[in-house]
Amino acid sequence: AVDNDNDGLISKEEFLAESDLFLQGRPARIILVVGGPGSGKGLLSERLVKECAVVHISSGDLLREEVKANTYLGKQVEEIMKSGGLVSSAIMVALMQKKMKDHPGKRILLDGFPRSAQNAKDLVTLCGRPELALHLDCDDCILIERILARGKSSGRADDNIHTALQRIRTYHKSHQVTMDFLRDERVPIVELDCSATPDGVWEQLRAVGRLMRKAVGYNNNLMNGESKSKNLGDGMNYQKYQSTIERRRESVFVLDCVASFAILALVGFSWLEPVGEFPTGQ
C-alpha cells in the first residue's frame, strides 16, 4: 500500500506521504535546540531533561550510534561526519522519526536538528510546526576553542581543528536559511548567549521563566494538596519530600514560560501598559 510505484523500495516521498502509518502517533510538542558545533546544545539539553523531564534526541548521537553499530547506514555516514559535511535530510528524518515514535505525547528536545532548510521542511511536514526553538549563539572562536578542548577527552573523530573549521563553515552555509524558514513558519525563537557557562545559559532561561511566570498562570499552591495527601512511607522526611516537590515545580514551568515569552515576543507587546521612560544616564 505504501510502495505506490511498485518498485520494491519506499522512497522519501512515499515515506513522508505515509508517515502516520510508519510512526503511529506524533509527539505532541517539539522544541528545537539550534546552534553551532560546540555551542553547548547537548549540555543544555541534558539540563532540561534532568530538570523538566523531557525527552532528548540528539541527531549527532543517533548518527554515532549507527557508526558504532557498524550498520550499512553507519558506514555511509561515517566519512561524511569525518569530513564535517551534512548527512542527507532523508536519512536524518528517518532516524529522528524512528526515535520519536517511541515517545508519543511527550515533549521532545531535538538537539542539532534541523541543520538545513530541507531538514526543517521535512520536520514540519512530518510533525507539524515545532513549539519553540532555543537558539544558542556565540563567536566562532569560542566554538573552536570548545571543540578542541572537548577533543582531548571525547575520542570523537570530528573533534579536531580541520573538521571543526569545516563544520562551522557548513553550519553558517545553511544556518541562516534554516532560521529564516523557521521564522516564516512562525516558530518562536529564543536567543541565548552561549558564550556564557552552562550555568549562565541556564540562568538566562530561568530569568525568562521568572519574567513570564504570571503570563502562564503559574500557581504557587498548585501541588500543595498533593504534597499533604501523599503517603510518604516510613522513614521519609516530609520536609525533604516537599523540598523536592518545590524544586520540581520551580523547574517544570521553565519551558512553558519560555514558550509563552517567545510567543508574546512574536506577536508584540502592544497590549502592555507603558511603564514610563527609562533614565538615559549621563
Side-chain angles (χ1 to χ4, degrees):
V2 178
D3 184 14
N4 297 322
D5 53 11
N6 297 314
D7 63 351
L9 300 172
I10 298 176
S11 67
K12 174 188 170 185
E13 289 72 22
E14 290 168 336
F15 176 82
L16 293 175
E18 302 294 339
S19 59
D20 284 341
L21 178 61
F22 286 104
L23 306 178
Q24 298 178 5
R26 300 178 178 182
R29 294 170 292 183
I30 295 176
I31 292 179
L32 308 178
V33 184
V34 184
S39 60
K41 300 184 297 294
L43 290 174
L44 177 59
S45 297
E46 289 174 7
R47 185 71 177 265
L48 289 168
V49 168
K50 178 182 177 181
E51 301 285 353
C52 305
V54 294
V55 177
H56 175 213
I57 298 178
S58 164
S59 59
D61 288 347
L62 290 179
L63 292 174
R64 283 186 283 274
E65 287 172 7
E66 293 293 322
V67 172
K68 185 177 181 179
N70 200 32
T71 64
Y72 176 74
L73 176 59
K75 294 176 182 178
Q76 284 185 307
V77 304
E78 185 173 17
E79 291 303 317
I80 299 175
M81 294 176 66
K82 285 182 178 179
S83 68
L86 287 179
V87 177
S88 75
S89 183
I91 291 176
M92 288 309 309
V93 166
L95 286 175
M96 286 287 182
Q97 288 303 315
K98 178 182 177 182
K99 194 77 171 180
M100 283 194 290
K101 72 176 183 179
D102 296 331
H103 306 282
K106 299 291 185 179
R107 184 175 244 146
I108 303 289
L109 285 177
L110 291 188
D111 165 7
F113 188 88
R115 297 190 180 188
S116 69
Q118 189 59 53
N119 281 170
K121 291 175 183 177
D122 290 343
L123 178 66
V124 171
T125 299
L126 280 168
C127 303
R129 185 177 62 189
E131 178 185 47
L132 179 68
L134 302 178
H135 182 210
L136 298 171
D137 190 31
C138 69
D139 188 80
D140 289 352
C141 292
I142 295 176
L143 299 181
I144 293 174
E145 289 175 1
R146 289 177 177 175
I147 292 171
L148 296 182
R150 184 176 64 190
K152 296 177 181 179
S153 58
S154 69
R156 287 173 47 172
D158 56 348
D159 280 347
N160 61 76
I161 184 61
H162 301 294
T163 307
L165 290 171
Q166 182 56 47
R167 290 175 67 198
I168 290 175
R169 291 191 195 101
T170 302
Y171 167 73
H172 284 302
K173 183 179 180 180
S174 58
H175 176 65
Q176 192 57 54
V177 177
T178 303
M179 298 304 290
D180 288 344
F181 174 81
L182 293 176
R183 291 187 179 95
D184 290 343
E185 290 291 319
R186 308 294 288 174
V187 176
I189 298 173
V190 173
E191 300 287 347
L192 298 171
D193 177 12
C194 66
S195 63
T197 64
D199 284 341
V201 174
W202 179 252
E203 284 306 313
Q204 292 177 50
L205 275 181
R206 286 178 56 83
V208 172
R210 287 192 294 270
L211 176 66
M212 297 309 298
R213 187 188 301 245
K214 290 184 179 180
V216 296
Y218 176 69
N219 184 350
N220 280 322
N221 298 317
L222 179 64
M223 300 178 75
N224 285 348
E226 178 183 345
S227 298
K228 293 177 181 178
S229 62
K230 179 88 172 172
N231 181 9
L232 302 181
D234 294 336
M236 185 171 184
N237 185 284
Y238 175 79
Q239 286 186 327
K240 182 178 179 181
Y241 174 78
Q242 199 162 27
S243 175
T244 301
I245 288 293
E246 179 61 29
R247 181 173 177 271
R248 172 70 171 169
R249 186 172 56 197
E250 182 76 12
S251 298
V252 295
F253 79 83
V254 169
L255 285 180
D256 286 325
C257 292
V258 169
S260 297
F261 176 80
I263 293 170
L264 287 171
L266 193 66
V267 301
F269 292 89
S270 59
W271 55 272
L272 291 175
E273 294 182 1
V275 295
E277 296 182 355
F278 288 96
T280 57
Q282 299 299 325

